[in-house]
Amino acid sequence: MSFFTFFFLFISGFLQFPTPATPTTIQSSSSSSLGSSSSIPDPFKDIFYAFNKWDTQLGCPLFKQKLPIQNHSVSSIQTSGTCTTQLKLTHVSVLVKKWTWLPDNLENLYSCPCGLTCLWTKSSVLVDHPDALLFETVTPPLQKWDIGLCLGLPEQQCIKNVLLLGICHKLLGKKFVVHFNLWGALVYYEIIDILVSKVVRSLPPARRSGDPLRVYMDLEAGRKRSGFEDLFIGYHAEDDVQSTYAGALFHNGRNYQVSSRKNNDTLVYWSSSRCLSSRNQLANRLLSLLPHHSFGKCLNNVGGPNKALSFYPECANDASITPKWWDHLHCAMSHYKFVLAIENTMTESYVTEKLFYALDSGSVPIYFGAPNVWDFVPPKSIIDGSKFRSMEELASYVKRVGNDPVAYAEYHAWRRCGVMGNYGKARATSLDTLPCRLCEAISRKGGRNA
C-alpha cells in the first residue's frame, strides 16, 4: 500500500522533489559609485571613518541629487487598503491552527486602520468562535467541491471523485476528463478508497456557511495554493494577502549588537546549512576569488559549524543559555564588509530574509536571486551579482569597494540619508503588519458570513 500511496502523491503533484536551480547567468557590469572615490586603496577598518570621508566628499544632498530616478514596479508590492471600502466587520478574530515558525509575539490584540480591531492568537481559549482559521503547516480542509462530480454526493464520495480526477488528469491529460466516468474509476478506485479514508480522517470537516474562513499561508518559493482556502497568504503581490520577508519579526530576539569594526583581511561572510548543489557551485565560484569566512555546513572553512562565537565572543546573548546559530547571526555579520546572499530559488518577488539579514546587520549584501529585487530594497543598498559579466569582474569590484571608504559608505547612504525607495513599502507589507492586513481582508469578505 505504501507504494501506491507514494505513487499517487507523486503523480498528483502533492510530492515535489527539489530541482537544482540554474546558476545565475552573469550579464552586465555594475554601475559605478556616485561618489568620487580615490584610485589609491584605503583598506579601512572603522565604518565611522568611511562615513566621515563620504560626508566630506559627497554627502546626502548631492547623493539625493545624483541618484538615478527609480523606475521600479509598484505592482510588486500590494498597496494597503483604504477606508473608502466599507468593512463588513469592525472586529475580527484569527485562530492560528497549525504553524511551524510563526513567532509567538505576533499574538496580540491590534488596533488597525479604519476603526478595525484584530485579535490574532494561537489559543482557542481566547478565541472560541473565530472569524478565520489560519493554517501554515498543513493545507486547509477540502471545502469547494467540483459541482459536476459532487452534486448530491456524500462528502467522502466527493473527495474520491476529486482525487481520482486529479490522478486521471495527471496521467492522461485534459481529454481524459470527458471519459472520467467511463473507465477511469474502474482502474484507480481501489487505490483511492484506501487513500481517501486516511485523508478524511486527517482533516477537519469542510467549511460550511457560518464556519470560520480558511486561510492558508505559504511563503516558500513554490507558493502553491491548496485550492481549499478562502484566503491565501504568499510573498507575491498577486496573492490575496502579501507578506514580504522585510520585517523585523523574521529575526526577533536575536543579538543586534552591530560592530563598527570591519574585517579588512576577510571581506565576505557566508553561512548556509542547506547545501543545494546549484547554490554551492555559485557560491564557490565567487568565494574562491575573495577572502571569506563560510559558517554553516556548506563550504565551511572556519573549522566547523557554530564557530561564530569563537571568532566574536562579544556576540553571545546570554552566557547561561546554550546559543543557537541564529542568536548571534546579525552580530557576526556586522564584522564583515560584505555578506553573500543567494536564494534557494531565483524567481520573481522571492526576496527572503537572507538579504534583509545582511541589510539589518550593517553589511553590504552581494545578492543572487529575484530578478526584481530592486522593487524591495533601498536604492544603492546591495550589489546585484547578476549585473556583472563574470565572477572575476564581480570579485574585482567587491575588492575595490572594500578598499575604498567613500565607495563603501555610499552603500549605507540610503539609511543615513533617509532614501528608502520601495523598501518602506516592502516593510509595510511584511509579517510585522500581517495581522491587521489579514483581518481587513477577512472583514471585507464578511468573516463567517462570507
Side-chain angles (χ1 to χ4, degrees), residues 380-392:
K380 193 64 180 181
S381 61
I382 71 171
I383 298 174
D384 185 352
S386 69
K387 303 303 181 185
F388 291 79
R389 290 187 294 264
S390 68
M391 284 296 185
E392 289 73 18

Side-chain angles (χ1 to χ4, degrees), residues 105-313:
N105 53 4
L106 266 179
E107 193 140 331
N108 202 354
L109 175 60
Y110 296 86
S111 295
C112 306
C114 310
L116 176 69
T117 55
C118 172
L119 179 56
W120 172 295
T121 182
K122 295 175 179 177
S123 171
S124 58
V125 175
L126 299 180
V127 176
D128 64 327
H129 198 67
D131 297 293
L133 302 174
L134 174 60
F135 299 83
E136 185 254 314
T137 56
V138 297
T139 57
L142 304 175
Q143 58 180 290
K144 298 176 182 176
W145 314 120
D146 182 287
I147 195 164
L149 296 174
C150 299
L151 190 60
L153 293 178
E155 182 176 296
Q156 185 153 326
Q157 182 70 43
C158 175
I159 296 176
K160 290 180 183 179
N161 284 1
V162 170
L163 293 178
L164 178 57
L165 180 61
I167 288 181
C168 297
H169 185 279
K170 195 82 173 180
L171 284 176
L172 302 173
K174 295 182 179 179
K175 293 182 180 179
F176 182 75
V177 176
V178 177
H179 307 289
F180 170 70
N181 288 320
L182 296 180
W183 59 275
L186 298 176
V187 180
Y188 299 107
Y189 227 78
E190 186 175 348
I191 301 173
I192 292 296
D193 237 350
I194 299 170
L195 292 172
V196 166
S197 62
K198 291 192 174 184
V199 170
V200 171
R201 286 199 301 269
S202 67
L203 293 174
R207 179 183 178 265
R208 297 176 179 85
S209 179
D211 285 351
L213 294 178
R214 309 287 178 164
V215 181
Y216 179 47
M217 182 174 185
D218 182 5
L219 298 187
E220 294 301 324
R223 186 175 134 260
K224 290 190 175 179
R225 295 173 181 261
S226 69
F228 311 125
E229 70 278 341
D230 300 289
L231 286 167
F232 178 70
I233 302 172
Y235 62 83
H236 202 283
E238 294 178 354
D239 301 325
D240 297 326
V241 180
Q242 184 180 24
S243 180
T244 69
Y245 285 80
L249 282 173
F250 275 103
H251 39 75
N252 212 24
R254 298 181 184 172
N255 192 328
Y256 275 84
Q257 177 181 322
V258 176
S259 174
S260 65
R261 302 290 294 176
K262 297 290 185 180
N263 290 338
N264 210 25
D265 299 327
T266 309
L267 289 176
V268 182
Y269 170 104
W270 191 55
S271 178
S272 177
S273 292
R274 186 182 175 193
C275 303
L276 301 176
S277 175
S278 57
R279 182 165 57 189
N280 277 3
Q281 291 173 16
L282 182 59
N284 192 48
R285 287 170 57 201
L286 178 62
L287 295 177
S288 64
L289 303 171
L290 292 167
H292 68 280
H293 280 157
S294 178
F295 299 91
K297 296 178 182 178
C298 310
L299 306 180
N300 187 284
N301 70 345
V302 293
N306 301 320
K307 292 290 184 180
L309 287 182
S310 64
F311 283 76
Y312 311 107

Side-chain angles (χ1 to χ4, degrees), residues 71-83:
N71 293 317
H72 305 305
S73 172
V74 294
S75 63
S76 294
I77 300 177
Q78 288 180 352
T79 55
S80 301
T82 62
C83 298

Side-chain angles (χ1 to χ4, degrees), residues 16 42 57 64 121 150 193 223 250 275 367 374 419 423:
Q16 289 209 342
D42 185 0
Q57 295 191 25
K64 294 178 180 179
T121 182
C150 299
D193 237 350
R223 186 175 134 260
F250 275 103
C275 303
Y367 182 74
W374 288 106
V419 181
Y423 186 48

Side-chain angles (χ1 to χ4, degrees), residues 371-418:
N372 61 334
V373 61
W374 288 106
D375 292 349
F376 296 86
V377 297
K380 193 64 180 181
S381 61
I382 71 171
I383 298 174
D384 185 352
S386 69
K387 303 303 181 185
F388 291 79
R389 290 187 294 264
S390 68
M391 284 296 185
E392 289 73 18
E393 183 184 67
L394 172 57
S396 176
Y397 180 77
V398 169
K399 290 176 182 177
R400 188 165 67 252
V401 173
N403 283 323
D404 186 335
V406 175
Y408 183 79
E410 192 161 290
Y411 280 96
H412 298 269
W414 65 271
R415 187 188 295 110
R416 302 178 68 232
C417 302

